[in-house]
Amino acid sequence: MWTFSAPLMAYGDNAIEYLAQIQGKKAFIVTDRNIVKLGLVKLVTDQLDAVDIKWEIFDEVEPEPSLITVKRGGEAVAKFQPDWVIGVGGGSAMDAAKAIILLLARPDLEPDALSVSETFNFRAKAKLMAIPTTSGTGSEATWAIVLTDTVLNRKLGLGTTECMPDVAILDPVMVMGLPPLITADTGMDVLCHAIEGYASTWGTTITEGPGLVAARRVFEYLDKAYKDGSDLLARREMMYAATLAGMSFGNAMAGLGHSTGHALGAIFHVPHGRTVGLFLPYTMEYLINSSEETTAKYAEIARFCCGASGPDKECAKALVARVRSLAKAIGQPLSVKDCGIDKVKFDAEIPALVDRALNEVMTITVTRVPGEEDLTKIFEYAYAGKPIDF
Ligand SMILES: [Fe+2]
């Protein structure tokens, strides 16, 4: 048996007005200072004010939120005792909101104990809402939480299936101001979620549907949103694509582009979407070279999204070429070298990169699971910008 989870979604122009329909008395808003400064939190509080819902803002979330920040949020939420916790922001704010609502239910726990094995029943106290301000992580439609342990310098994948938001509000007004570089970085993350979710060995027909449509929308609208941030249609469709891709990979898991990209991002501090997007075509080639099953999946995506026709292998390769041409069109790096990473430093870190990738669950959700030797070569080829030929 499989299960598929997704939040209730209020979406479209003016979807933010859904806030005036919620039942409750107090909302705890988890966000970051920049989102407050941009006036996006005010769009939320204006709606809450209109229906006399009291609110408090916790705006201390940093990129890749730390256990310490989340603990502070847990202390603040315990004092406020809201009936809604609302994450407003990118993946970091939404993930922090998920952790903070768990701490509301279990204030006795340390944030790094917010794991799959616990039952929290936080809905006895409050409900969880996510309002994304980027079109990328899909965190509004997944239950996972990524936090950083700044003491031991490690990233922690936490959360439980309970952490799926009750409501996600997808209003394009929240993403209209995204700068081009963030639009590009986060957009490549969406493409990676869509393609990897679709091709994951943990995927099913139910998870393939949203992944396939998300990929098509990214190919159609990402460069438009990048080139003209005021293009409402492109912004809206990219926002929907991000959530659909989140539903796909959140239920089916991502793949090798994510495990290798995560490793690079963790060691060289390159943004998540940029790194996973960079590794996506290389890891697709690696799978095409040995797996008819994954090649057929990529061919389906290529036919649906890029008008490809002919044998599976040709279509799958056309998809790889399309991923690279999109990345190029929106100024994304096509190789690790393009990221400005020094060759000597990179070579010195290859064992650590391989080790990190080997320890990611996303390395095993593909039809060809690489070992140390292949991963080493994948990193070397990706540095040089050389297509994978093995
Ligand atoms: Fe991602």
Side-chain angles (χ1 to χ4, degrees), residues 189 193 258 272 276:
D189 194 23
H193 294 158
H258 262 75
H272 172 82
V276 300

Side-chain angles (χ1 to χ4, degrees), residues 17-32:
E17 291 172 6
Y18 181 85
L19 280 162
Q21 298 179 25
I22 62 172
Q23 302 293 312
K25 292 191 172 71
K26 290 162 94 177
F28 187 79
I29 298 168
V30 179
T31 188
D32 64 62

Side-chain angles (χ1 to χ4, degrees), residues 136-137 188-190 192-193 196 249 254 258 262 272-273 276 362:
T137 66
M188 289 308 289
D189 194 23
V190 179
C192 206
H193 294 158
E196 295 195 327
F249 95 95
H258 262 75
H262 264 180
H272 172 82
V276 300
M362 294 167 291

